[in-house]
Amino acid sequence: MIKVIFERVRQGKRTIKYPMAEPVLPERFRGRPALDQSQCRPGCAACAEACPTGALKCGDGVLSIDMGLCLFCGECEAACGSGAIRFTRDYRLASKDRHALVLRSGEDTERKLVRQLDDEMKRLFGRSLRLREVSAGGCGACEADVNVLSTVVFDLGRFGVDFVASPRHADGLLITGPVTGNMRLALQKTYDAVPSPKIVIASGACAISGGPYEGHAEVAGGASPVLPVDLYIPGCPPHPITILDGLLGMLGRLK
């Protein structure tokens, strides 16, 4: 036991300082895309052709990207070569509005922090939020980054947010995966078991739009066709900081 105590003292505090300080992101992190139509070469559509999900469009003289469908793979940036599209290190991606995830060249693409809940919902959930995580056919990547939020590094519980085992003990659902045919009924039943009022969060490209499975006959195309979604968190998978930022923004914990 004494060795355990000494080791704990040696390691010191491991919890990150965010949101009191900016987070330290990995070198290869890709955040909010930045678009510059003026850098496009005439007749070039290399970026759109490289996109595996069709998230990037360059028709009608307007360059746009749907962050809800984007895998943040970087293939478009590599194929472009002229700087018309690049991925910044802005981790603030979450939005309550699905349409706000579509960025267009020429518009102010600086992401605004997600709007907080209305006064009544904030009164109910602003200090304590319990979520049931549902993997609706996910590959495991989004689920893994959700799970690490409960570790000592991110310590989600310090904000009064926790994941629970039963939907009957939850205030809402956090959904990952494209909602496969085999999971659609299970997801609906889980949602019905959550007491009202309740919150639904779609985390990851699959849960927002179907991601790489968008348009497939065996998936619903994300959570929205099945349930009313209150918060969209883009990414493939979303970085834990992006998820945390979206949750805190929704709860009105960010200044």
Side-chain angles (χ1 to χ4, degrees):
M1 175 59 73
I2 191 65
K3 291 183 179 180
V4 173
I5 295 175
F6 282 149
E7 179 61 20
R8 184 67 187 88
V9 173
R10 185 190 70 81
Q11 292 187 19
K13 184 178 179 180
R14 302 295 295 273
T15 305
I16 60 173
K17 296 181 179 180
Y18 180 83
M20 301 304 294
E22 283 295 299
V24 178
L25 298 169
E27 182 179 348
R28 295 187 296 174
F29 175 81
R30 294 190 186 100
R32 174 186 53 81
L35 308 177
D36 185 357
Q37 180 80 35
S38 65
Q39 299 297 320
C40 288
R41 296 186 294 267
C44 178
C47 57
E49 293 170 357
C51 181
T53 61
L56 192 64
K57 307 291 184 184
C58 58
D60 300 325
V62 177
L63 185 64
S64 67
I65 186 168
D66 183 353
M67 291 200 301
L69 191 56
C70 178
L71 304 183
F72 292 78
C73 63
E75 291 297 317
C76 56
E77 184 178 19
C80 174
S82 65
I85 178 168
R86 61 182 179 85
F87 287 89
T88 71
R89 296 181 62 78
D90 189 349
Y91 55 88
R92 299 166 297 177
L93 306 176
S95 175
K96 291 180 68 177
D97 183 2
R98 175 67 179 90
H99 298 292
L101 298 182
V102 179
L103 309 182
R104 296 177 178 83
S105 178
E107 297 180 347
D108 183 6
T109 58
E110 284 291 332
R111 306 310 306 148
K112 295 181 179 179
L113 295 178
V114 61
R115 296 191 304 274
Q116 65 187 37
L117 296 169
D118 60 49
D119 291 341
E120 178 61 16
M121 293 290 275
K122 185 180 178 183
R123 183 184 68 82
L124 292 172
F125 304 127
R127 295 174 62 87
S128 176
L129 180 65
R130 301 291 180 263
L131 297 171
R132 174 69 169 97
E133 199 273 330
V134 179
S135 176
C139 68
C142 287
E143 293 81 357
D145 276 3
V146 168
N147 288 341
V148 301
L149 289 174
S150 298
T151 65
V152 67
V153 175
F154 298 96
D155 193 11
L156 187 63
R158 63 190 162 125
F159 303 107
V161 183
D162 290 297
F163 290 98
V164 295
S166 170
R168 298 190 184 279
H169 300 159
D171 300 312
L173 303 180
L174 189 148
I175 303 167
T176 56
V179 188
T180 61
N182 288 337
M183 280 299 299
R184 185 164 185 157
L185 179 58
L187 177 61
Q188 183 65 59
K189 287 185 174 181
T190 304
Y191 175 79
D192 293 341
V194 178
S196 295
K198 43 196 165 186
I199 292 171
V200 176
I201 301 166
S203 183
C206 286
I208 295 175
S209 64
Y213 310 103
E214 191 265 340
H216 196 286
E218 293 301 319
V219 301
S224 293
V226 183
L227 304 175
V229 176
D230 300 287
L231 181 66
Y232 300 91
I233 307 177
C236 185
H239 191 278
I241 285 292
T242 297
I243 303 173
L244 181 57
D245 178 80
L247 292 174
L248 296 183
M250 181 182 70
L251 297 174
R253 301 288 187 83
L254 299 176
K255 297 182 179 179

